[in-house]
Amino acid sequence: MDNIRFKALAFAISRPGRSVKFPDQKASEYFGELTFNRAAMREYLTEEAYNQVMNSIEKGKKIDRKIADQVAAGIKAWAISKGATHYTHWFLPLTGATAEKHDAFVDPVEGGQGIEKFRGSELTQQEPDASSFPSGGIRSTFEARGYTAWDPTSPAFIMDRTLCIPTVFVSYTGEALDYKTPLLKAIWSIDKAAVDVCRYFDNNITKVFPTLGWEQEYFLVDNALYLARPDLVLTGRTLFGHSSAKDQQLEDHYFGTIPQRVLAFMQEFELEAHRLGIPVKTRHNEVAPNQFECAPVYEEVNLSIDHNQLMMHLLDKVAKRHDFTVLLHEKPFSGINGSGKHNNWSLATNTRENLLSPGKTFKANLRFLTFLVNIIKAVNDHAELIRAIIASPGNDHRLGGNEAPPAIISVFIGSQLTLMLDVISKADKHISINANIDNGLLKNLPKIPEILLDNTDRNRTSPFAFTGNKFEFRAVGSAQTCAPPMIVLNLIVADQLRQFKKEVDALILKKVTKEDALFQVIKRYIRESRKILFEGNNYSQEWEEEALKRGLSNIKATPEALKAFITKKSVDLFERNNVLTKRELIARHEIRLENYTKKIQIESRVLGDLAGNHIIPVAIRYQNTLIENVKGLKQVLDLKTYGKLSQNQMDSITEISEHIDKIKTFLNEMIEARKGANRIQEAEEKAFAYSDTVLPYFEKIRYHADKLELLIDDELWPLPKYRELLFTR
Ligand code: ADP
Ligand code: MG
């Protein structure tokens, strides 16, 4: 038996299953034990050092060099007590993955002995050779120096006996080469802007921090079957595969009983996550077979993003121990649901309130209304940028596929809130809350909490939905880091809040009362952004038509979507909020285009290899068997019977020949298109060439290859089939 598919299947079905070794302690006793959290800081730092670190975390104050040495000594002692031998700066380069370079604590000293060393300077700053990270032309290799600098707001942690110190990564000339730098700036920006707006309502609010709770979807595939699929190994998705007779149509997987082997995997990664202080809470089966989800309790956004990066790493690592491979790709299998990463986002205050929770009093509701309307306005004004930030070749397959939100950005707030906004926007322009609170127009306002409690109309088709006390950004792809969408969301809302404050203050200067001023601006914003609100089915054809009429954009492919990054509007937005410069934006735009081109290029090559060297040879082998068979029939049957009985065989031979012919023709055309695209130097033009001239062949070739899968002897087919990939567990 030399068919690799059968070998892989034999492995997959004979897995003994691995049992989880649970610790003796309760979860609360080991939660966070591998992080340098506050308890560890209190134990290992002097009071002075502890206070400085706290000041740095809470107020962004700098830590003195002397104190940095003390902090480093404390972290070192703690890390060694937990078995760590190495340390690394851990950062988020523009590859979308994480990067680390390990150094041993131990240093040689005289007499052939060693001691563990870790200085303050090693904690706070490093200079990794950064020449091979994408920089979009900002840093040519001869000036490759980039440095990493400690981010004390995300606690250091230990993974695989290595102390990991979350850092930012910037070039020697000060440009950001990572996601964390602009993220921290956006967080800072929304903090300031939101606090300023909160002052209209409550002077006790001195800090506002965005919160993020992500929901990570993924697929599991048996590792042996995975390894027998070169397309999965090299591209993360299947480029071929006829749909399984049964997949998700019975809807029997969603929230179903978790298979034992999968459960053991989940229990083990949760254990590791909890040790790392990642508050994973929820696990369940998703819609598609072998698709699952995990979600934590929400956290401050910077920490939550680091935790998501770590989680993706953990999923992958722990899955291997259970002979699974995790697929984080947005669309690993065609014909069934892909995977997303919902980003639940809200704004919390130092007074432990959620600015997106409607309160019980009129004042609290006016504050809620203020933030709600400003967020809607921000999304309305920057819908193209939001579309751009979630654009990736993987997500292009998912958006608009009747399983995920379309490429049209809209906001869902529920029918009750929509009604309320409509009432407010149409109210008399001299409306004053004191005059109207009890007599009509605004009487709904104090009742928002009750409205929301009864309001169960959650719209699962919306890309950006209000869900009671937070917005759920549902269009983010499962493989993407949450950082870019969170940078953009916090940035546009910060910018909007600042604009709002300017407009309200201008009215107050003209002796308009504060409430009237707030209402006047809010009313105008509601009217100006009314077109972004949509309550209906986002998957429907009618919405595409309606959105077109409303002037909302519907950009399907990444290269086109990415244009919004570098428009003047976008550059101004990023620069005026000091989040990214024009140069940095252009670099990021280029990196994304290159990433797009390379991914499609790789897929195209793998597709060519699989079709040409795996599928066609097998098709020809089977065809020869049929030909031999027909020849044999001719020898043993009389001519009349032969004529009658050989027809079906002959038809199969013709059918197979036609599919082979089509595949070969399209393959040749695709290769020509690729050659043409490869000759293009300019990044955007090249990405468009890949998108417009190479990519369209994928479906054409696949169609015929998948037909062959149905025609050819199962024993010969070399690639694990959908039913095997999706139902082995
Ligand atoms: P689902 O969308 O699957 O119905 P939920 O609506 O219960 O699930 O939301 C789950 C996610 O929302 C969790 O990750 C949770 O942490 C997050 N979440 C809840 N409240 C907030 C908040 N105030 N800020 C950010 N995320 C939140
Ligand atoms: Mg959700």
Side-chain angles (χ1 to χ4, degrees), residues 215 342 344 460 472 474:
E215 302 166 56
H342 298 175
N344 296 275
R460 301 238 163 235
E472 185 168 347
R474 305 175 67 258

Side-chain angles (χ1 to χ4, degrees), residues 227-282:
L227 291 173
R229 292 279 318 211
D231 47 358
L232 279 182
V233 174
L234 296 180
T235 73
R237 73 177 180 109
T238 55
L239 298 169
F240 296 105
H242 196 280
S243 57
S244 165
K246 171 185 182 294
D247 46 48
Q248 67 187 40
Q249 63 272 60
L250 296 179
E251 293 167 347
D252 50 355
H253 189 62
Y254 191 55
F255 281 19
T257 310
I258 300 172
Q260 272 307 309
R261 192 175 150 207
V262 176
L263 187 61
F265 151 72
M266 289 178 170
Q267 287 170 327
E268 202 166 302
F269 81 62
E270 285 168 354
L271 207 61
E272 295 213 10
H274 286 161
R275 288 205 158 107
L276 284 164
I278 307 171
V280 285
K281 181 116 183 142
T282 309

Side-chain angles (χ1 to χ4, degrees), residues 375-383 528-532 552:
I375 293 164
I376 294 170
K377 176 88 161 67
V379 174
N380 177 70
D381 291 0
H382 299 287
E528 286 172 0
S529 43
R530 187 63 180 80
K531 70 171 192 299
I532 203 81
L552 299 176

Side-chain angles (χ1 to χ4, degrees), residues 211-215 293 295-298 342 344-346 354 458 460 469-470 472:
T211 53
L212 166 66
W214 41 265
E215 302 166 56
E293 177 181 304
V297 178
Y298 68 94
H342 298 175
N344 296 275
W345 171 90
S346 191
N354 176 349
R458 286 183 144 218
R460 301 238 163 235
N469 60 1
K470 62 187 188 294
E472 185 168 347

